[in-house]
Amino acid sequence: MISLSNECYYIIFNNFRHDYKNLFSCALVNRHWCRIIIPILWSEPGHHFKDIKLIRILFLTLNAEEQSSLIPFELTLPIHSKLLFEYASYITSINSYLYDGIKNWLRYERYWYLSYEQKRVLICVFECLIIMLLRTSKNLKHLYFLYKSFYNQIIFENLYNSNVLNSLELYDHSIGNEEGKMLAKFLCKNSMLTSLKLCGNNEHCHFYKNGGKELTGALCKNNILKILNLQKFIIISEVGKALADMLYMNTTLISLDLSHNFFNLIRPKRGDIAFADAFKNTSLKDLNLQSNNFGSEVGNALANVLYKNNTLNSLNIGDNKFGSEVGKAFANALYKNITLVSLNISINKLESKGGIAIANALGNNNTLISLNISSNNLGSGGKAFANTLCKNTSLKDLNIQWNYLGSEVGKSLAVALCKNNTLISLNISNNLRESGGKSFVNALCKNTALTSLNLGDNYLRTKGGEALANALCKNTTLISLDINRNFLNPEGGKALADVLCKNATLISLNINDNHLGLEGGKTFANALCKNTTLTSLNLGHDYLGSKGGIALAIALCKNTTLISLNISGNKLGPKGGKALADALCKNTTLTSLDISDNDIGSKGGNALADALCKNTTLTSLDISDNDIGSKGGNAIADALCKNTTLTSLNIQKNRINFKIKSNNKNIEILQ
């Protein structure tokens, strides 16, 4: 083996930092590699925090004082000889999964408490581990806190004095007077923090007057922070105005998220316009103002800002009840603006006039790449978008779903798709009628750019399904297709299934709720025996019945490419359930399976339990609402003692009168 310097090894192994499985295998090669790889593996545990083994290692790192803080809860902490590595010292990022890992450990060790007590224990254990990590690791860059753990005096003092943190997330608490003061104090001292996220809960989390002013005052002075999120708070007018003043003065923020807040006392006459004017800020590149119910006056002010702004790249103003006149104002801004590449203006009651104005503006705009204008009741105004798509050469992603466009607009869009060669992703679900849908799918024979298309709920019916099948025979670019709820019926489904035997480009297909029936199910099963490209298939609620389930099971024994399969709500019954279970004993590629709501009963449950003892590839299984009962539940519980690959199991609504547990520390069970 060629000997390299440690620096070279580190660079090589660091490139595989997110490929945990292979990196761990490399760590087993020799001690030298192990010493280099372990710090990399432990630097960002991510979802591995949910693993009880990792939690136990963290417990082993607690000192006597930290352990003593948990004595009141009578927890039996793990005991072990000295650890081979100082694992905790390598951790640089703590996320929400640490809470999940502690919960998993408490459940596994059978520490059951009343709901309030359980929450208190969880918080205390979390705070204890954070205190240990702050003591052992000098490289913590990102921290996540739920409730008020950040304000624990020991934790706060450690963070205040460390000055290494560059990302902080605080969830589910109000910003009161004391919290505001402490946050302000931390922001004034810390010279590394570049990202701050404060997320409340609209029902009870407030930005109080004094606390809000303390925080915004500190933000006015801060010239380090680049990313700021303030979500799901009830914000009173004084705090809103203080935020506006801060934004007007700030010159360093690049990304700002103020979505889903309730500005309950901010009205135009009380400073709302000043709040909108604050976005004259010239450093912001990404702004999210979704779901704030701002209304038309603030909308007009924002449009006026966008007209003059030359720095913003991404703007989300969805669900703000702007109305058609504001739509016109934003259209006017799009004529002038040359920097915006992404705009979400969905759910804003733009209607036909507002939609036409924006569509016309896109005919002249050559910078916008992504547009979401869904749920705006555009109606016939959608025809303007068809005309625009014939000219526009920059738009790559268009979401125009739920706009009641009708068949005539569908035909116009079909003509546009034959000419447009830049649009890559299009969502036009819940819009057309049979004739418009058929014209639209015919356009796929000529279009050579689209890779993702959502045509869900458009009443294509059998003829539309056959037209779509014909188009897919000629189209060589589409890789993702969603045609759920289109009443294709067995004949339309059969036509599409026949195409899958030949099509070599489609990777994902959603044909949920299309009344395919047994015959349609059999043709898809036959297609799966021949198709070698499809990795995701949704056949939910298609009336396949037990025989259709058996046909699919046979296909799964032969197919070697499908990774995800949804066949929920198909009345498979015990026979269909058993056939699929038998297939899982042979299939080695499927990782996700949804067979919920299929009445497989205890026999189907027992068969699935046997399959779980043998299958080594499935990671996600949904068998909810199947009337498995306690007998089937017992069999599943026994199987989980042997299965080591499943990470997600949904077994809700099955009349199982006991709690299912697993020896697999990584599995999440919904019951």
Side-chain angles (χ1 to χ4, degrees):
M1 184 182 294
I2 299 172
S3 179
L4 300 173
S5 67
N6 285 351
E7 289 79 7
C8 289
Y9 278 125
Y10 180 81
I11 292 170
I12 293 168
F13 293 136
N14 198 47
N15 286 326
F16 297 95
R17 65 186 301 112
H18 299 300
D19 187 356
Y20 290 100
K21 187 176 180 181
N22 288 327
L23 198 56
F24 181 76
S25 298
C26 291
L28 301 177
V29 172
N30 58 47
R31 290 183 180 179
H32 184 202
W33 283 21
C34 187
R35 291 191 189 100
I36 298 168
I37 290 171
I38 290 299
I40 297 173
L41 277 172
W42 275 78
S43 63
E44 296 178 8
H47 70 275
H48 294 287
F49 272 123
K50 293 194 293 185
D51 192 333
I52 294 173
K53 292 178 182 176
L54 188 150
I55 300 299
R56 283 175 174 159
I57 290 174
L58 294 181
F59 279 136
L60 292 171
T61 316
L62 298 176
N63 62 23
E65 185 180 353
E66 290 152 0
Q67 290 178 17
S68 66
S69 68
L70 299 177
I71 289 175
F73 305 111
E74 300 180 356
L75 301 175
T76 303
L77 300 179
I79 301 172
H80 197 277
S81 57
K82 187 177 179 180
L83 295 170
L84 293 174
F85 293 91
E86 295 179 352
Y87 297 101
S89 67
Y90 307 134
I91 296 176
T92 64
S93 177
I94 305 292
N95 59 23
S96 60
Y97 288 123
L98 179 58
Y99 281 98
D100 297 331
I102 296 169
K103 283 181 186 175
N104 292 341
W105 180 80
L106 288 170
R107 289 194 193 105
Y108 184 77
E109 296 294 339
R110 293 177 173 80
Y111 292 113
W112 301 106
Y113 303 89
L114 296 172
S115 58
Y116 172 77
E117 185 70 9
Q118 194 172 29
K119 179 179 174 181
R120 193 163 73 90
V121 174
L122 173 63
I123 293 171
C124 288
V125 173
F126 174 82
E127 290 178 354
C128 180
L129 292 180
I130 290 293
I131 290 169
M132 177 274 294
L133 288 164
L134 290 172
R135 171 177 58 82
T136 57
S137 177
K138 305 302 178 186
N139 297 307
L140 277 174
K141 304 297 182 187
H142 172 81
L143 275 177
Y144 171 103
F145 291 99
L146 191 62
Y147 312 121
K148 294 189 177 184
S149 296
F150 173 76
Y151 306 106
N152 174 299
Q153 198 60 41
I154 299 174
I155 291 175
F156 182 81
E157 286 177 4
N158 273 281
L159 287 172
Y160 183 75
N161 294 320
S162 66
N163 204 37
V164 295
L165 206 64
N166 57 35
S167 178
L168 176 64
E169 296 185 44
L170 307 181
Y171 277 77
D172 204 10
H173 64 83
S174 296
I175 305 295
N177 297 343
E178 286 304 311
E179 291 85 1
K181 284 180 182 178
M182 292 178 78
L183 268 172
K185 183 180 177 182
F186 179 73
L187 284 171
C188 291
K189 171 76 178 337
N190 189 289
S191 61
M192 301 291 289
L193 198 72
T194 58
S195 176
L196 174 63
K197 183 170 186 177
L198 306 177
C199 188
N201 179 321
N202 288 127
E203 294 179 2
H204 56 77
C205 288
H206 292 71
F207 242 104
Y208 289 103
K209 180 178 177 180
N210 292 336
K213 286 188 174 181
E214 289 278 356
L215 179 57
T216 52
L219 290 170
C220 284
K221 301 172 186 176
N222 185 290
N223 59 2
I224 305 296
L225 207 65
K226 295 186 180 301
I227 300 170
L228 176 61
N229 287 17
L230 301 175
Q231 301 175 28
K232 298 184 179 179
F233 285 103
I234 297 173
I235 299 177
I236 63 173
S237 56
E238 291 90 343
V239 176
K241 195 166 187 319
L243 272 172
D245 293 339
M246 179 275 293
L247 291 172
Y248 193 79
M249 296 168 61
N250 187 284
T251 59
T252 55
L253 277 179
I254 294 173
S255 176
L256 176 64
D257 188 337
L258 288 175
S259 61
H260 299 90
N261 289 301
F262 181 36
F263 292 88
N264 65 329
L265 295 178
I266 298 182
R267 296 294 96 197
K269 61 183 180 181
R270 297 190 183 181
D272 229 6
I273 300 300
F275 189 76
D277 286 345
F279 300 116
K280 291 176 181 177
N281 177 301
T282 57
S283 63
L284 279 176
K285 294 184 180 297
D286 181 3
L287 177 59
N288 186 346
L289 296 172
Q290 184 175 0
S291 301
N292 283 306
N293 293 325
F294 279 140
S296 60
E297 294 198 51
V298 178
N300 279 316
L302 284 169
N304 184 53
V305 170
L306 187 64
Y307 183 83
K308 301 171 184 177
N309 183 283
N310 59 4
T311 54
L312 210 59
N313 297 143
S314 175
L315 177 61
N316 184 345
I317 46 173
D319 194 14
N320 273 297
K321 300 179 180 177
F322 285 152
S324 59
E325 292 305 311
V326 175
K328 292 179 184 178
F330 271 98
N332 188 44
L334 287 176
Y335 278 105
K336 180 76 182 296
N337 185 282
I338 57 171
T339 56
L340 203 66
V341 296
S342 176
L343 174 62
N344 180 348
I345 195 168
S346 61
I347 322 176
N348 268 303
K349 300 182 179 180
L350 301 186
E351 300 190 343
S352 180
K353 291 181 180 179
I356 290 171
I358 287 180
N360 291 338
L362 288 177
N364 294 282
N365 182 291
N366 58 6
T367 54
L368 204 66
I369 293 174
S370 175
L371 174 64
N372 183 346
I373 195 167
S374 61
S375 302
N376 271 298
N377 196 23
L378 301 183
S380 59
K383 190 172 182 180
F385 278 92
N387 296 334
T388 293
L389 288 177
C390 295
K391 308 171 189 175
N392 184 285
T393 57
S394 62
L395 205 64
K396 294 180 182 292
D397 180 3
L398 176 61
N399 184 343
I400 198 169
Q401 66 176 335
W402 283 103
N403 272 299
Y404 308 103
L405 301 182
S407 58
E408 291 306 310
V409 173
K411 292 175 182 177
S412 299
L413 282 168
V415 173
L417 275 187
C418 293
K419 300 176 181 179
N420 182 287
N421 59 4
T422 54
L423 203 65
I424 294 173
S425 175
L426 176 62
N427 185 341
I428 195 169
S429 61
N430 300 87
N431 272 303
L432 312 177
R433 289 294 179 266
E434 189 170 0
S435 58
K438 187 177 178 183
S439 300
F440 190 85
V441 298
N442 286 335
L444 293 176
C445 298
K446 300 179 181 179
N447 182 281
T448 58
L450 272 181
T451 60
S452 175
L453 176 62
N454 187 338
L455 269 172
D457 212 351
N458 273 310
Y459 297 90
L460 296 181
R461 302 190 185 278
T462 300
K463 290 183 179 179
E466 291 171 346
L468 183 58
N470 179 57
L472 289 177
C473 289
K474 302 171 183 177
N475 184 288
T476 58
T477 55
L478 208 62
I479 60 175
S480 176
L481 177 62
D482 187 337
I483 45 172
N484 76 91
R485 289 175 57 84
N486 269 295
F487 305 99
L488 300 185
N489 301 315
E491 295 81 3
K494 184 178 182 302
L496 279 170
D498 290 342
V499 170
L500 284 182
C501 297
K502 307 167 187 175
N503 184 285
T505 54
L506 211 59
I507 294 174
S508 174
L509 176 62
N510 181 355
I511 195 167
N512 175 72
D513 197 4
N514 270 290
H515 304 264
L516 301 185
L518 173 59
E519 292 307 311
K522 283 182 176 179
T523 54
F524 267 95
N526 179 54
L528 287 178
C529 295
K530 301 174 183 178
N531 182 281
T532 58
T533 55
L534 206 66
T535 60
S536 176
L537 177 62
N538 186 341
L539 284 169
H541 301 90
D542 272 318
Y543 304 97
L544 304 184
S546 60
K547 291 183 179 179
I550 292 169
L552 279 173
I554 295 170
L556 286 178
C557 294
K558 301 176 182 179
N559 182 283
T560 58
T561 54
L562 204 65
I563 295 173
S564 174
L565 176 63
N566 183 340
I567 45 174
S568 60
N570 272 296
K571 298 183 180 180
L572 302 183
K575 290 183 179 179
K578 185 179 184 306
L580 282 165
D582 292 341
L584 288 178
C585 297
K586 301 174 183 178
N587 183 284
T588 58
T589 55
L590 207 65
T591 61
S592 176
L593 177 62
D594 184 346
I595 53 170
S596 59
D597 188 20
N598 269 299
D599 298 317
I600 64 173
S602 58
K603 290 183 179 179
N606 287 331
L608 276 171
D610 291 338
L612 288 177
C613 294
K614 301 171 184 177
N615 183 283
T616 58
T617 54
L618 205 65
T619 59
S620 175
L621 176 63
D622 188 341
I623 50 174
S624 60
D625 199 9
N626 266 300
D627 199 27
I628 288 174
S630 293
K631 288 185 179 180
N634 271 317
I636 295 286
D638 291 341
L640 292 180
C641 295
K642 301 175 184 178
N643 184 287
T644 58
T645 53
L646 210 62
T647 59
S648 175
L649 174 64
N650 188 343
I651 198 165
Q652 295 174 314
K653 299 181 182 179
N654 271 299
R655 294 191 304 108
I656 299 172
N657 55 16
F658 60 90
K659 195 74 176 177
I660 289 181
K661 302 180 183 67
S662 170
N663 289 334
N664 181 354
K665 317 298 187 302
N666 297 319
I667 188 170
E668 181 178 356
I669 301 175
L670 292 177
Q671 185 176 353

